[in-house]
Amino acid sequence: WSNTSCSCNEENDVPFETLIVNANTSISTDSGAPMCKVHINLMYADRTKSKVADTINKTIINKAFSFDHLSPQQAVDSFTNNYLSNYKKDLTELYKTDKDSKDLSAGWYDYSYVMNSSIQKGSKHVLIYIIHLESYEGGAHGNSQDIILNFNTRNGKLFTINNLFVPGYEHGLNELLLKALEDKTGCKNLNELHNKGYLLSSGIYPSDNFMLNEDDITFIYNPYEIASYDKGATELTISYSDLDKLLK
């Protein structure tokens, strides 16, 4: 278990620090027994140097860990302890049964949870905060997910789809996103998109994961959201000029 803090470069006038935790536990005392490993690299706003830090950190902790009213240190510690504890509680007896019956699938009990975070400058008064998650909890493959947060550096509040676009934006924005997806995949219509594994279970929609860049907005869809797993994440970028009539 390690825990370090370091100063980071300022982005859009909000200074950040980094909290790093590495922890693990073994499912049993057997030599070479499966393990659960947790790595968290969490950037958080320095409340001693920014008046909007508490507002930003509250959102980060909620989105990253689903906790309210905890400090970054408390949230990281609580999540890590719970994750490791639940691993042993939920899987120890199953592991013993599989081991005794010699029906043990190698590697399936080796769990891992990795969270990394980063920040980058967005458009004016926008700070983009990125959480990248990778986990493996048995099965054929692991899972990955990105959580994108766009903060207003003047007040620390989160930009959302509904406070960016005018009422009734959905139809126009969906048309632009569908066109961007067709262009990205080389498809001419919905049928061709279906044949390539896109939009099989839902129509196009604006992702809550978006990046307010200097000249455009990038919408990021995690695996399974609009495409089959093998496609990975899908990014669709639309310029502000094309969104002119839809933006507030």
Side-chain angles (χ1 to χ4, degrees), residues 181-224:
L181 181 58
E182 290 174 345
D183 291 345
K184 185 180 186 71
T185 58
C187 294
K188 296 179 181 178
N189 52 53
L190 195 56
N191 285 335
E192 291 187 7
L193 285 169
H194 288 168
N195 291 335
K196 287 192 175 183
Y198 292 91
L199 304 179
L200 295 175
S201 59
S202 71
I204 194 68
Y205 61 91
S207 172
D208 289 330
N209 276 336
F210 57 88
M211 303 174 71
L212 296 174
N213 306 312
E214 187 172 351
D215 301 313
D216 49 49
I217 302 180
T218 298
F219 294 87
I220 299 173
Y221 301 84
N222 286 308
Y224 291 123

Side-chain angles (χ1 to χ4, degrees), residues 27 35 55 86 125 145 156 189 200-201 221 237-238 242 246:
I27 202 169
M35 298 187 70
T55 302
N86 288 336
H125 301 304
Q145 179 186 12
N189 52 53
L200 295 175
S201 59
Y221 301 84
T237 299
I238 303 176
D242 289 337
L246 299 176

